[in-house]
Structures are given as C-alpha cells and as structure tokens.
Amino acid sequence: MALPHAAAAEVIAAGPLGAALTGARSQTLVRDHGLQIFRLVLTPGQVLAPHKVRDRMVIQCLDGSFEFEAMGRRLTLRAGDLCHIPPEESHAVYALEACSALVTLFGVDTHETPAPGEQP
C-alpha cells in the first residue's frame, strides 16, 4: 500500500534528520502532476549507479555528505549544498557517510513509480 503524500498547502518536515538519520528510510514527500519531492537516505558507502530521470532535478544535501556525478563532473555535496541538472542527464550518487538529501523532480510529468533509492 502506498504511503500518503502531502497535499497542497500542507506543512512538510523536510529539514535535516540529525540523530534520526540512523534508521531513517528514503520516502516520497510530494507526488503531483509535474512535481515529485522525496527524501533520499543513504548509508555510508551506498551507491546509486548511473541512471537518468526524465525530469529536471534539484538535489540538496541535508545531512552528511555524498558525491554527485553528472555532466562529466564529480561534486562533493555537504549539508546545505545543492546542485541541479537538466532532464535526461545521467547521474550517480556515492554516499561518503550516512546522508540524506531532498530531491525535487519537476517537469511535464514526473515519475509514476518511485525514483531510484526511494520508497513509495
């Protein structure tokens, strides 16, 4: 059964997890036509292999740090940093330590299925 997502004009807790990072899981926060927002949680050393999404993407590190590989570059993101890439751009994520990120996908039509690394 799918988890409920936040409705329009609903407050969503989307900040750093801090001590709650241990044991947290990735999950979708918002899914609506043209918009998907999910919290990505990775364990130390976890890798999301290169993949593409059909939407424009913004990834913001909330806790810990990870390397984000896209467009021929490998960037280190730490809490507070963000990066964006265009649609259909291959990218990968490498957790340097336990980390969480807020991922926003927006475009004509966001994914109907969970994005890589997140739960419905």
Side-chain angles (χ1 to χ4, degrees):
M1 180 173 159
L3 297 173
H5 302 124
E10 185 176 340
V11 175
I12 303 167
L17 294 169
L21 180 58
T22 302
R25 294 179 48 176
S26 298
Q27 75 176 98
T28 297
L29 304 173
V30 174
R31 183 175 285 140
D32 199 357
H33 181 72
L35 176 66
Q36 181 178 359
I37 303 171
F38 64 95
R39 180 189 300 271
L40 176 66
V41 177
L42 300 173
T43 57
Q46 188 173 353
V47 174
L48 293 182
H51 61 281
K52 295 180 182 181
V53 294
R54 65 179 174 248
D55 305 303
R56 181 168 300 282
M57 183 176 85
V58 175
I59 184 167
Q60 179 180 4
C61 183
L62 300 174
D63 297 282
S65 61
F66 58 88
E67 289 185 341
F68 184 71
E69 187 174 306
M71 302 179 72
R73 301 182 69 193
R74 192 164 182 154
L75 308 170
T76 300
L77 278 76
R78 293 178 175 75
D81 294 339
L82 66 83
C83 181
H84 72 93
I85 59 172
E88 298 292 341
E89 185 64 44
S90 181
H91 59 282
V93 181
Y94 308 89
L96 299 173
E97 58 187 313
C99 59
S100 74
L102 194 63
V103 179
T104 303
L105 303 173
F106 56 98
V108 176
D109 188 24
T110 58
H111 301 283
E112 295 301 319
T113 57
E118 62 101 21
Q119 301 295 315

